[in-house]
Amino acid sequence: MGETKPFDEIWGLGGPDAPRAEFAELARWMDETSEAELSRRQQAAEATFRQLGITFAVYGDTDASERIIPFDIVPRIFMHDEWQRLSEGLIQRVEAINAFLEDIYGERRILREGVLPPELILNNDQFRPEVAGIRPPHGIWAHICGIDLVRTGPDDFWVLEDNARTPSGVSYMLENREAMIRLCPELFRSFRVAAVDSYSDMLRETMRSVVPDQGNAHPVCVVLTPGHFNSAYYEHSFLADTMGVELVEPADLAVDDDMVFMRTIGGLVKVDVIYRRIDDDFLDPLVFRPDSMLGVPGLIAAYRAGNVALMNAPGNGIADDKAIYSYMPEIVKFYSGGEAKLPNVQTWRCREPEALRYTLDNLDRLVVKLVDGSGGYGMLVGPTASREEIEKFRAALVAEPHRYIAQPTLALSTVPTMTEKGIAPRHVDFRPFVLTGSDGIRVVPGGLTRVALREGSLVVNSSQGGGTKDSFVLLPEGRQTQSQVQS
């Protein structure tokens, strides 16, 4: 599934002296721009991010509760034809995720026909029986998906995980592009880059398309945030501002007669669509956690009555579960009738005795993950783990095997990256964003490239020391470029 030597997306397997032909211009730019100048531009971008307050919290880190995610000045580039193939696979996968969610909270046909073991759904902590039988407006559950991809070769892309709850990172995609246009305008003259700055317009149109009452010419849409202490608060406020909608906290909303209202200085205003950035557990204390101080009492009753759309729908966490991920090829085939265009990484379900034995025998070679883990936490990277870490995971696996999956350690692709020692390859992954409304599915022509800044590291998460890059998607001839859009 990968080369012994990682495939570099710009240099191929030949190294800096022999870049892939289509990226010769980028290689020339890296060669001709001094490291001091590249470093100056990178520091200028990070200074801007700090001024704007683009930070994230590292929970449990008392030394630095708020940090910026490091930004790398060397972009990642996708050719137009490979982006087309990725988009087709992303659309197929997101359609299947929506069909799967509609089914398991409704007829449960996939369980009746034996494609999935029922206990994997019904006994799963991520399954929300509280919303079973509810059909969201227009039958759309996963309005905003972030599908994490990795690459191991020129044509080898793999889905690493699905994010259908509240995928974050789109503000970094947008701010990274703004920084690149300002600091490296010459690259946009050399390459025909698709614009990403229409994301907020696309998101607003997606929100308007799922209004329960389609006859409503002036629907009220809001972004619901848990507040400024949340690690992604900048993104919440950024999106509300760029969409031109209100950013609200739970105390700003009230439910009366199964309808949601926003408190304003002019009185109560009915709300039609809520892009919520609050986890299910805390969303409504009358349905989920009764001790939640972040919820809106009665919100699920209004949702059940069909009077408000929630983006993304409550209950979506089951689609993010890594044990469910292992069945995604079967899920895609069940709902689409065809093979998955984007394959999964080979996965061993530790709940199965044979898979558990294999995992325990090969812990030093595998990546082991909690099925409900995120952010790089609850994960073992066997080849780089200490003996103590491996034995700790061994004990956890034996005690609760159903909580884990295992995967091979892939030779993730690399992209040239600015380091303290100059430009060098670093491993990357990629999160494209897919929007689903009643008017169709849109794949944003770009995404969030995360880069492992430590040499040899495969962990790209910001909480684990990773950074981000801009992601260029090249346009075919005759299409408007990013620089033309900006001008």
Side-chain angles (χ1 to χ4, degrees), residues 177-193:
R177 177 59 54 84
E178 284 291 324
M180 289 297 290
I181 290 171
R182 186 176 71 255
L183 297 169
C184 304
E186 66 274 17
L187 287 177
F188 295 90
R189 293 190 289 269
S190 298
F191 294 99
R192 301 178 56 79
V193 182

Side-chain angles (χ1 to χ4, degrees), residues 395-411:
L397 277 163
V398 170
E400 297 180 297
H402 63 283
R403 296 192 65 204
Y404 296 90
I405 56 99
Q407 295 173 329
T409 306
L410 298 182

Side-chain angles (χ1 to χ4, degrees), residues 5-300:
K5 178 181 179 182
F7 168 74
D8 191 273
E9 298 184 13
I10 306 302
W11 295 332
L13 294 173
D17 296 329
R20 298 169 69 197
E22 55 268 40
F23 300 127
E25 188 66 30
L26 182 64
R28 187 178 305 112
W29 175 79
M30 287 188 285
D31 187 54
E32 294 177 353
T33 309
S34 71
E35 289 181 8
E37 176 61 16
L38 291 175
S39 179
R40 184 195 68 78
R41 297 184 192 186
Q42 188 159 298
Q43 291 172 13
E46 292 185 347
T48 299
F49 295 165
R50 192 172 287 107
Q51 290 168 2
L52 290 172
I54 310 176
T55 60
F56 73 100
V58 180
Y59 296 114
D61 185 345
T62 56
D63 294 328
S65 59
E66 292 288 332
R67 302 176 180 173
I68 66 164
I69 298 180
F71 169 72
D72 187 71
I73 199 74
V74 182
R76 183 189 200 170
I77 300 180
F78 293 94
M79 301 300 292
H80 176 69
D81 58 342
E82 64 189 14
W83 185 256
Q84 289 297 103
R85 295 195 302 273
L86 284 178
S87 295
E88 291 174 5
L90 290 167
I91 290 170
Q92 180 198 48
R93 195 170 183 103
V94 169
E95 285 178 336
I97 288 172
N98 270 295
F100 168 69
L101 291 164
E102 176 90 343
D103 188 19
I104 62 167
Y105 287 111
E107 297 180 359
R108 298 179 185 167
R109 189 166 55 93
I110 198 168
L111 303 186
R112 291 202 313 271
E113 298 191 21
V115 178
L116 295 181
E119 66 273 13
L120 191 63
I121 300 292
L122 303 179
N123 296 340
N124 195 310
D125 290 341
Q126 298 300 316
F127 178 71
R128 300 292 186 178
E130 299 92 342
V131 298
I134 296 179
R135 188 170 192 269
H138 312 283
I140 300 169
W141 292 76
H143 309 81
I144 307 153
C145 283
I147 308 296
D148 288 352
L149 304 175
V150 294
R151 188 177 192 176
T152 57
D155 299 309
D156 300 320
F157 290 90
W158 309 84
V159 177
L160 191 62
E161 63 181 50
D162 302 294
N163 296 279
R165 279 177 286 188
T166 53
S168 62
V170 75
S171 61
Y172 285 98
M173 174 189 77
L174 298 170
E175 293 291 3
N176 286 352
R177 177 59 54 84
E178 284 291 324
M180 289 297 290
I181 290 171
R182 186 176 71 255
L183 297 169
C184 304
E186 66 274 17
L187 287 177
F188 295 90
R189 293 190 289 269
S190 298
F191 294 99
R192 301 178 56 79
V193 182
V196 296
D197 57 356
S198 61
Y199 177 82
S200 295
D201 293 336
M202 294 166 63
L203 180 57
R204 183 176 61 249
E205 290 308 308
T206 298
M207 294 183 74
R208 292 177 65 90
S209 79
V210 296
V211 172
D213 177 10
Q214 286 293 284
N216 183 352
H218 303 287
V220 173
C221 304
V222 301
V223 176
L224 175 61
T225 177
H228 67 279
F229 290 112
N230 184 266
S231 62
Y233 180 75
Y234 172 81
E235 180 161 296
H236 307 166
S237 58
F238 175 89
L239 291 173
D241 183 56
T242 54
M243 284 193 292
V245 305
E246 293 293 332
L247 178 70
V248 299
E249 296 187 19
D252 299 320
L253 300 180
V255 177
D256 184 43
D257 195 23
D258 288 345
M259 289 186 286
V260 182
F261 295 91
M262 174 173 56
R263 296 183 173 96
T264 75
I265 57 174
L268 296 178
V269 175
K270 185 176 179 298
V271 174
D272 302 289
V273 183
I274 299 173
Y275 176 19
R276 55 98 178 197
R277 297 296 295 260
I278 295 177
D279 291 342
D280 288 358
D281 276 344
F282 305 99
L283 197 56
D284 182 342
L286 301 182
V287 175
F288 300 117
R289 283 184 53 161
D291 61 341
S292 171
M293 302 298 290
L294 299 175
V296 180
L299 181 60
I300 297 302

